[in-house]
Amino acid sequence: MGRQVKRALKYRFYPTPEQAAELSRTFACVRLVYNKALAEGPVRPDPRKR
């Protein structure tokens, strides 16, 4: 088999002040949802339901 080459790219962007504010709000919401999901713990399926 042939050798597989892995590559990585780096991107950088410079948001406008409006875009930066929207990104900040979005990440705050994502962080809140993620932390609430962690606080609830793992979701286990009910073994009686099949």
Side-chain angles (χ1 to χ4, degrees), residues 37 40-50:
E40 287 199 15
V43 176
R44 296 185 182 147
D46 189 354
R48 295 172 287 180
K49 292 182 181 178
R50 289 220 172 205

Side-chain angles (χ1 to χ4, degrees), residues 13 15-32:
F13 71 104
T16 64
E18 294 84 15
Q19 291 171 329
E22 185 66 29
L23 285 169
S24 179
R25 280 191 298 274
T26 301
F27 290 134
C29 290
V30 168
R31 194 168 39 251
L32 177 74

Side-chain angles (χ1 to χ4, degrees), residues 2-39:
R3 203 171 118 197
Q4 190 174 12
V5 177
K6 294 184 180 181
R7 298 176 189 208
L9 300 173
K10 284 188 178 183
Y11 291 96
R12 180 127 192 205
F13 71 104
Y14 301 93
T16 64
E18 294 84 15
Q19 291 171 329
E22 185 66 29
L23 285 169
S24 179
R25 280 191 298 274
T26 301
F27 290 134
C29 290
V30 168
R31 194 168 39 251
L32 177 74
V33 170
Y34 180 77
N35 287 334
K36 285 188 177 212
L38 284 179

